[in-house]
Amino acid sequence: MLKEHNWHQLKDDTVQRLNLLAPYFRDGKIIDAKDTVAALEAVIRSADRVNIEGNNQKQADFLAECLCKVDPEKISGLHMVQSSVPLSTHLDLFEKGIAEKLDFAYAGPQDGRLAQLIQQGKIKLGAIHTYLELFSRYFVDLTPRVSLITAFEADKDGNLYTGFNTEDTPVIAEATHFRQGIVIAQVNKIVDKVPRVDIPGDWVNAVIEAPRPFYVEPLFTRDPALITDTHVLMAMMALKGIYAEYGVERINHGIGFFTSAIELLLPTYGEELGLKGKVCTHMVLNPHPTLIPAIESGWIQSVHCFGGELGMEKYVAERPDVFYIGQDGTLRSNRAFAQAAGHYALDMFIGGTLQIDKYGNSSTATASRVSGFGGAPNMGCDAKGRRHVTQSWLKCGEEFNATQQQLIGDMPRGKRLVVQMQETFREKRQPAFVDKLDAWKLAEKAGLALPPVMVYADDVTHVLTEEGIAHLHRCEGLEQRMAAIRAVAGYTDIGLAADPAQTQALREAGIVQTPEDLGIDRRRANRQMLAAKSIRDLVDWSGGLYNPPARFRNW
Amino acid sequence: MLKEHNWHQLKDDTVQRLNLLAPYFRDGKIIDAKDTVAALEAVIRSADRVNIEGNNQKQADFLAECLCKVDPEKISGLHMVQSSVPLSTHLDLFEKGIAEKLDFAYAGPQDGRLAQLIQQGKIKLGAIHTYLELFSRYFVDLTPRVSLITAFEADKDGNLYTGFNTEDTPVIAEATHFRQGIVIAQVNKIVDKVPRVDIPGDWVNAVIEAPRPFYVEPLFTRDPALITDTHVLMAMMALKGIYAEYGVERINHGIGFFTSAIELLLPTYGEELGLKGKVCTHMVLNPHPTLIPAIESGWIQSVHCFGGELGMEKYVAERPDVFYIGQDGTLRSNRAFAQAAGHYALDMFIGGTLQIDKYGNSSTATASRVSGFGGAPNMGCDAKGRRHVTQSWLKCGEEFNATQQQLIGDMPRGKRLVVQMQETFREKRQPAFVDKLDAWKLAEKAGLALPPVMVYADDVTHVLTEEGIAHLHRCEGLEQRMAAIRAVAGYTDIGLAADPAQTQALREAGIVQTPEDLGIDRRRANRQMLAAKSIRDLVDWSGGLYNPPARFRNW
């Protein structure tokens, strides 16, 4: 027994740190921007676990910059635990020796430099996670000691208004604060009263008005002008061969042109197929601008968002029957709950990838870039804890029967639809189908225990290329599944190994479907099918409510 | 295009309802308890989706009672979407015709009556979920229109203090409020200022001081006096054969005596095995009283809780280095985040069940009781979206290789440990191992699309009985797995069908291990091993901080 043990060491330490912070408070919990570096030096200790908020969208960029300016003689060896490292400052911390270890989910534009730093031994990599998985560890073995978060507005009591971009803030603040951690927020503005309380002031130790608004990236904006006829063909196949075939109501669309094309075909080809109200009624999705025509046409009943998307603020605010909106009239996004919903409440994940191996494992990793996972593996896997039944889930499970029998005997079970879309060749004539994923090389170079796979072969149900759809879950075993992949792999080495007689048999069995098998007229597969052909068209569809970032405006 | 469409119908309707509620506000958002029924009649409409907060622990029982008193002529056909239906009032709603359809996760003591009402057609069953799955649907297709929640205290602005029993409140309030829904809270006390803000007042439309404190059930209290020598033997096998074998650090223990016995062996047998600091360091768990000796002995670094446990308030508050504690000094539990952590951040789920079939599928369902799932399937499944590596996860995946090769080719992957503990015969000499689960009969009688399985055969890695451990994931296929199950199924019909030669071969292959194979001396497997043998011992271990409910006090 440890009767004499001090059971409040964390709290004592926190009190001590907050005492050092006290001189910097100007009014209530407000600290001047100019005192930020000193404030961080007051509350952070070497080897602390520290979180800098930032996902693929909003960034606590001012606090990240200030953390880079602390004295490495005072603070070093930090263990960074954070969703994302897309800013150069995130990696500068490691170059300077302020930080040493990293647990994260997504790298974005820093993926190449991250790989280098890992190989140089400057970053000790914990693990690459999906968002929800990393959030989960915040409550178990990766709880931040200090979190540097961001919001639109704060009052002097620390109440935060995260508005349109709530995103990761609630889960970070909760995990940190209730484990005696310290939470510091940069905000765009200090106000007398916040328009709504997204994070209670109790949970926040200090607020700082940053010299400029937080950085936010319009990551989910796809210009319809860049959608090709091939994208349209593949989108038509998806709608007829999968959406209609399974009656899929609850969906997440990955980022990219394949699914943007699908969104823009709903009011045209989807309508023609009689699918309105029958498929794609509930979505978990960022507010993609290419969703606007489908929403305006009455296809979508609800959208719950991970985060915001620049330019969509006003449009979303004016569609409160569809989006989750606060009493202040703006979106409440929430990455943790949207990812949970993406895992458990959806019937299909559909999105692009980079490479697919001969078994059906797919990855976006390349040999020299540690890009991370974001949310895809969480949505793109068969959620084994799911117990509620929908028609599409049940049908997919019945079709998976041959494999399932070997796993669970005669017990019936449903299965999530997971669709990977990819043209057989990517940019620069890189084959999308490969014998071995580049992920293997990356694992070797970066010292990862496992190759970073985005979607595993037993989770993916469909591979869709310009050649056709392979219904992988209908296969009887690994050999047949590999043949089905070869059948849609076109002129890649994998595709060239296909046996025409076997491919024909798979087509007859309904395991492989070409556009012709689906009754799709290739001549109609062109951009004329799109409900909007440009960003300008999207603005028009929105009645002027969508306000695209400057870089997307060419008029 | 629907340019003339009204896109704020939900909000207009909410405003209208809140206008009807206005006359009942006494001061700020406070409504008198005597006006509760009238208030509910003002804001609820027939066929609404309504949530009454309550899981297996705290209950918004006063609001449930009041909802039973509304006039069925005014309000009928409600669709109840809620974690749990353990109170008679929850089902009275259906008898009275006020409610019609049910989506839920757990029934508890009402499981028999629930089955009857479903069979009588008085309840139209949506689906049985796990908690996190149901919460996920709150953001997609099962968002409540009105939620009746509960908290310890509120101020007149609606700020809620949920204190020790936060549990489901945040996720319900968020999903409801931001989809223009109405949130009404019963609280034990209206105060001028809440000790901490668990739910911002913005999100709450009305607060009512109930005539008595909310009901809460001490569901996770197990009296060590009822732990048998067989429980001790099985716990010793678990510790030596699984905890030590895999070095499992992050764990959830199911409810029940098997895992209570494990908790009470950590400071004795666990210490003897040299496991302190090496296994069971991080837990996601309610504050089980039987954890006290392990915590006091310095085994447990952190515990994140789904909810509270009656009597543990003071003990937990005095151990802030271990539990998640607010600045008011009491626990912050959170079922949604704890379930996410249980899914993604743990290496093992271990718990009891009722029936296991010949393939390894297990269920707690019986033919006449719709008990529901609670959180077990979410924690007791292989979380396929997981990407971070731990030693135990990797080792388990390597051992699963024979089956995995057929699913994903030569791609390596880890696997979660899922252990089902059960004696070969349950109470009343019911065999725990059966040819076909009773879940099949229940599915037929209650009109379920699938038999309600708690843990599927491909998710369970270990079946542990008094006969031994079957390492099912080490098997080469279904046939071998069935033989391994037979080998530990004792004198049940399934066990009697075991072929002794095959069992011997499985033992030699390390797939089946008896206590002797593990080097466990059965003579030592008795209650003397327990760190605490009674509730009184637990109180002593806690230095008097644990305050067990009266029914557990026999001194």
Side-chain angles (χ1 to χ4, degrees):
Chain A
M1 293 212 226
L2 304 171
K3 288 304 176 200
E4 302 308 311
H5 187 73
N6 173 359
W7 289 101
H8 39 83
Q9 297 179 50
L10 276 176
K11 198 171 177 177
D12 295 351
D13 177 58
T14 300
V15 169
Q16 207 174 53
R17 298 183 190 206
L18 291 176
N19 284 340
L20 295 174
L21 190 63
Y24 301 102
F25 287 120
R26 186 166 53 79
D27 181 17
K29 294 182 175 176
I30 302 170
I31 291 176
D32 270 336
K34 67 172 173 50
D35 294 329
T36 307
V37 175
L40 295 179
E41 288 184 343
V43 296
I44 299 177
R45 299 273 181 281
S46 289
D48 271 351
R49 271 197 299 262
V50 174
N51 173 293
I52 302 176
E53 185 175 4
N55 40 58
N56 44 12
Q57 302 180 281
K58 77 167 174 176
Q59 302 296 337
D61 54 338
F62 174 67
L63 292 177
E65 268 174 41
C66 292
L67 188 58
C68 280
K69 293 179 189 156
V70 301
D71 181 352
E73 296 288 316
K74 290 184 191 159
I75 300 175
S76 63
L78 298 181
H79 178 180
M80 306 307 296
V81 290
Q82 58 190 73
S83 288
S84 187
V85 287
L87 305 180
S88 57
T89 46
H90 292 149
L91 299 188
D92 292 347
L93 289 171
F94 293 89
E95 301 257 23
K96 290 169 189 274
I98 297 168
E100 177 179 292
K101 188 172 177 187
L102 175 65
D103 275 281
F104 81 115
Y106 181 75
Q110 299 294 326
D111 53 359
R113 187 172 165 218
L114 177 59
Q116 276 178 356
L117 288 169
I118 292 170
Q119 285 168 45
Q120 292 165 5
K122 288 188 180 162
I123 292 182
K124 201 176 145 199
L125 185 62
I128 315 174
H129 307 75
T130 70
Y131 291 129
L132 188 59
E133 181 187 9
L134 184 62
F135 300 158
S136 294
R137 293 188 69 185
Y138 290 169
F139 293 97
V140 180
D141 56 346
L142 290 184
T143 315
R145 190 78 188 96
V146 178
S147 285
L148 310 178
I149 63 174
T150 183
F152 278 102
E153 297 176 0
D155 64 23
K156 69 180 173 61
D157 297 324
N159 291 295
L160 299 186
Y161 172 57
T162 52
F164 192 66
N165 293 85
T166 302
E167 308 186 356
D168 307 17
T169 318
V171 69
I172 298 169
E174 176 159 348
T176 308
H177 172 69
F178 288 103
R179 189 98 172 102
Q180 319 304 323
I182 292 166
V183 177
I184 296 176
Q186 76 170 69
V187 299
N188 296 352
K189 204 174 172 188
I190 303 274
V191 296
D192 284 340
K193 188 174 158 51
V194 290
R196 78 180 191 221
V197 178
D198 287 294
I199 309 293
D202 296 7
W203 306 12
V204 178
N205 297 96
V207 295
I208 296 165
E209 187 173 291
R212 57 172 195 279
F214 61 72
Y215 177 72
V216 61
E217 170 79 18
L219 200 69
F220 298 90
T221 298
R222 289 291 169 270
D223 186 342
L226 300 178
I227 293 176
T228 65
D229 291 352
T230 305
H231 292 139
V232 174
L233 174 66
M234 288 169 66
M236 289 171 75
M237 284 196 271
L239 281 171
K240 193 158 183 189
I242 303 176
Y243 288 61
E245 170 79 3
Y246 292 89
V248 200
E249 294 176 326
R250 307 173 310 173
I251 302 179
N252 168 265
H253 282 172
I255 187 175
F257 288 103
F258 297 115
T259 44
S260 290
I262 294 174
E263 287 156 16
L264 292 173
L265 285 190
L266 290 173
T268 57
Y269 189 60
E271 204 98 21
E272 183 184 320
L273 294 173
L275 297 179
K276 188 170 162 180
K278 293 181 190 157
V279 309
C280 211
T281 51
H282 296 82
M283 305 200 77
V284 176
L285 203 68
N286 277 305
H288 291 187
T290 42
L291 260 189
I292 294 171
I295 293 172
E296 293 302 300
S297 306
W299 275 71
I300 317 284
Q301 290 175 33
S302 82
V303 181
H304 187 250
C305 298
F306 308 98
E309 180 65 7
L310 268 181
M312 288 288 282
E313 296 84 349
K314 204 167 166 195
Y315 175 76
V316 167
E318 295 290 328
R319 298 293 177 267
D321 282 355
V322 174
F323 292 94
Y324 284 71
I325 303 289
Q327 59 181 14
D328 64 312
T330 65
L331 182 71
R332 164 91 175 186
S333 56
N334 187 319
R335 196 169 312 275
F337 286 148
Q339 287 288 344
H343 190 64
Y344 269 134
L346 299 187
D347 294 317
M348 180 164 78
F349 167 75
I350 178 167
T353 185
L354 281 187
Q355 280 189 339
I356 301 173
D357 77 8
K358 58 188 170 185
Y359 307 114
N361 300 298
S362 59
S363 180
T364 56
T366 60
S368 57
R369 292 177 182 278
V370 178
S371 60
F373 296 120
N378 171 63
M379 291 178 287
C381 72
D382 192 26
K384 301 286 289 297
R386 171 173 171 172
R387 294 294 180 269
H388 73 282
V389 172
T390 56
Q391 174 205 317
S392 54
W393 183 78
L394 205 55
K395 176 175 159 67
C396 183
E398 282 163 2
E399 294 176 349
F400 189 56
N401 193 36
T403 302
Q404 202 141 276
Q405 281 261 355
Q406 289 303 309
L407 299 172
I408 58 175
D410 63 4
M411 184 61 69
R413 181 171 67 189
K415 187 169 172 65
R416 138 114 42 145
L417 293 159
V418 175
V419 184
Q420 293 278 263
M421 293 178 84
Q422 184 52 278
E423 291 180 73
T424 54
F425 285 90
R426 304 183 278 129
E427 71 286 6
K428 298 183 189 165
R429 297 294 295 164
Q430 292 283 312
F433 292 87
V434 295
D435 188 62
K436 227 173 162 66
L437 297 175
D438 281 353
W440 286 90
K441 279 184 223 154
L442 174 62
E444 200 182 314
K445 284 172 86 172
L448 308 177
L450 297 176
V453 170
M454 187 75 82
V455 176
Y456 284 100
D458 57 344
D459 282 327
V460 67
T461 57
H462 295 85
V463 169
L464 199 171
T465 72
E466 75 277 14
E467 299 285 332
I469 301 176
H471 295 263
L472 298 182
H473 63 294
R474 292 180 183 170
C475 294
E476 274 178 24
L478 190 65
E479 286 308 317
Q480 196 179 47
R481 194 183 321 138
M482 291 167 73
I485 290 169
R486 289 193 293 268
V488 297
Y491 292 94
T492 63
D493 286 345
I494 299 288
L496 290 172
D499 169 3
Q502 199 177 20
T503 297
Q504 185 57 35
L506 290 170
R507 288 175 63 184
E508 281 162 18
I511 291 174
V512 169
Q513 293 177 302
T514 65
E516 289 68 32
D517 295 340
L518 288 164
I520 290 172
D521 182 351
R522 285 176 189 267
R523 289 166 305 182
R524 297 186 62 212
N526 63 62
R527 288 179 39 80
Q528 292 310 312
M529 273 284 188
L530 297 172
K533 295 171 193 64
S534 65
I535 291 281
R536 182 61 188 259
D537 283 354
L538 293 176
V539 174
D540 289 346
W541 269 99
S542 77
L545 293 170
Y546 172 43
N547 177 31
R551 71 164 111 151
F552 292 104
R553 290 172 177 275
N554 57 357
W555 63 92
Chain B
M1 292 213 226
L2 303 170
K3 289 301 175 201
E4 302 308 313
H5 186 75
N6 173 358
W7 288 103
H8 39 83
Q9 296 179 50
L10 275 177
K11 198 171 178 178
D12 295 351
D13 177 58
T14 301
V15 168
Q16 208 175 53
R17 298 183 190 207
L18 291 177
N19 284 340
L20 294 174
L21 190 63
Y24 301 103
F25 287 120
R26 186 165 54 78
D27 180 18
K29 294 183 175 176
I30 302 168
I31 291 176
D32 269 336
K34 67 173 172 49
D35 293 328
T36 307
V37 175
L40 295 179
E41 288 183 344
V43 296
I44 299 177
R45 301 272 181 280
S46 289
D48 272 352
R49 272 197 297 262
V50 174
N51 172 293
I52 303 176
E53 184 175 2
N55 38 59
N56 45 11
Q57 301 180 282
K58 78 167 173 174
Q59 303 296 335
D61 56 337
F62 174 67
L63 292 177
E65 268 175 42
C66 291
L67 188 58
C68 280
K69 291 181 189 154
V70 301
D71 182 352
E73 296 289 315
K74 291 185 192 159
I75 300 175
S76 63
L78 298 180
H79 178 179
M80 307 307 296
V81 289
Q82 58 190 73
S83 289
S84 185
V85 288
L87 304 180
S88 57
T89 47
H90 291 149
L91 299 188
D92 292 347
L93 289 170
F94 294 90
E95 301 257 23
K96 289 170 191 274
I98 296 168
E100 181 180 288
K101 188 172 176 186
L102 176 65
D103 275 281
F104 81 113
Y106 180 76
Q110 299 294 325
D111 55 358
R113 188 174 163 216
L114 176 59
Q116 275 180 356
L117 287 169
I118 292 170
Q119 284 169 47
Q120 290 164 7
K122 288 187 181 163
I123 293 182
K124 200 176 145 199
L125 186 63
I128 315 175
H129 307 74
T130 69
Y131 291 128
L132 187 60
E133 180 187 9
L134 184 62
F135 300 158
S136 295
R137 293 189 70 187
Y138 290 169
F139 293 97
V140 181
D141 57 346
L142 291 183
T143 316
R145 190 78 189 96
V146 178
S147 285
L148 310 178
I149 64 174
T150 183
F152 277 101
E153 296 177 1
D155 63 25
K156 71 182 171 62
D157 297 323
N159 291 297
L160 300 186
Y161 173 56
T162 52
F164 192 65
N165 293 86
T166 302
E167 308 186 357
D168 307 17
T169 317
V171 69
I172 298 169
E174 175 158 350
T176 308
H177 171 68
F178 288 102
R179 190 99 172 102
Q180 319 302 322
I182 293 166
V183 177
I184 297 177
Q186 77 168 69
V187 299
N188 296 352
K189 204 174 172 189
I190 305 273
V191 296
D192 285 339
K193 186 171 160 50
V194 291
R196 77 180 191 220
V197 177
D198 287 293
I199 310 291
D202 297 5
W203 306 12
V204 179
N205 297 98
V207 295
I208 297 165
E209 186 173 293
R212 56 171 197 281
F214 60 74
Y215 177 71
V216 60
E217 172 77 17
L219 200 69
F220 297 89
T221 299
R222 290 288 170 274
D223 186 342
L226 301 178
I227 293 175
T228 65
D229 290 352
T230 304
H231 292 140
V232 173
L233 174 66
M234 289 169 65
M236 288 171 75
M237 283 195 272
L239 282 171
K240 193 158 184 187
I242 303 175
Y243 287 60
E245 171 79 3
Y246 292 89
V248 200
E249 293 177 326
R250 308 172 309 170
I251 302 178
N252 169 263
H253 282 170
I255 186 176
F257 287 103
F258 297 115
T259 43
S260 290
I262 293 173
E263 289 157 14
L264 292 173
L265 285 191
L266 291 174
T268 57
Y269 189 59
E271 203 97 22
E272 183 184 319
L273 294 173
L275 297 178
K276 187 168 163 182
K278 295 183 191 156
V279 309
C280 212
T281 51
H282 295 81
M283 306 199 76
V284 176
L285 202 69
N286 277 304
H288 291 186
T290 42
L291 262 189
I292 294 171
I295 292 173
E296 294 300 301
S297 306
W299 275 70
I300 318 284
Q301 290 176 32
S302 83
V303 181
H304 188 249
C305 298
F306 309 97
E309 181 66 7
L310 269 181
M312 288 288 282
E313 295 84 350
K314 205 167 165 193
Y315 176 75
V316 167
E318 296 289 330
R319 296 293 177 268
D321 282 354
V322 175
F323 293 93
Y324 284 70
I325 303 289
Q327 60 181 14
D328 64 312
T330 64
L331 182 72
R332 164 90 174 188
S333 54
N334 187 321
R335 196 170 310 276
F337 287 148
Q339 287 289 341
H343 190 62
Y344 269 135
L346 298 187
D347 295 315
M348 180 164 76
F349 166 75
I350 178 167
T353 185
L354 280 185
Q355 279 189 339
I356 300 172
D357 76 9
K358 58 188 170 188
Y359 306 113
N361 300 297
S362 59
S363 180
T364 55
T366 60
S368 56
R369 291 176 183 278
V370 179
S371 59
F373 295 122
N378 171 65
M379 290 177 287
C381 72
D382 192 26
K384 300 287 287 296
R386 170 172 172 172
R387 293 294 180 269
H388 73 283
V389 171
T390 55
Q391 173 203 321
S392 54
W393 183 78
L394 205 55
K395 175 175 161 68
C396 182
E398 282 162 4
E399 294 176 349
F400 189 56
N401 192 37
T403 303
Q404 203 142 274
Q405 282 261 357
Q406 289 304 309
L407 299 172
I408 59 175
D410 63 4
M411 184 61 69
R413 181 170 68 190
K415 187 169 172 64
R416 141 113 41 144
L417 294 159
V418 175
V419 185
Q420 293 276 262
M421 295 177 82
Q422 184 53 278
E423 290 180 73
T424 54
F425 285 90
R426 302 183 279 130
E427 70 287 5
K428 297 181 188 166
R429 297 293 295 163
Q430 292 282 315
F433 292 87
V434 295
D435 189 61
K436 226 173 164 64
L437 296 175
D438 281 352
W440 285 89
K441 281 186 220 153
L442 173 62
E444 198 182 317
K445 285 172 87 171
L448 308 177
L450 297 176
V453 170
M454 187 73 83
V455 176
Y456 284 99
D458 56 344
D459 282 327
V460 66
T461 56
H462 295 84
V463 169
L464 199 172
T465 72
E466 75 278 13
E467 300 286 332
I469 301 176
H471 296 262
L472 299 182
H473 64 293
R474 293 179 182 171
C475 295
E476 274 177 26
L478 191 64
E479 286 308 317
Q480 195 179 50
R481 194 182 323 136
M482 291 168 73
I485 291 169
R486 289 194 293 268
V488 297
Y491 291 93
T492 63
D493 287 347
I494 299 287
L496 290 172
D499 169 3
Q502 199 176 20
T503 298
Q504 184 57 36
L506 290 170
R507 287 176 61 183
E508 281 161 18
I511 292 174
V512 169
Q513 294 176 302
T514 65
E516 289 69 31
D517 295 340
L518 288 164
I520 292 172
D521 182 351
R522 285 176 190 266
R523 288 167 305 182
R524 297 185 61 212
N526 63 61
R527 289 179 39 79
Q528 292 311 312
M529 273 281 188
L530 298 172
K533 295 171 191 68
S534 65
I535 290 282
R536 181 62 191 259
D537 284 353
L538 293 175
V539 174
D540 289 345
W541 269 101
S542 78
L545 293 169
Y546 172 43
N547 177 29
R551 72 164 108 152
F552 291 104
R553 290 173 177 275
N554 58 0
W555 63 91

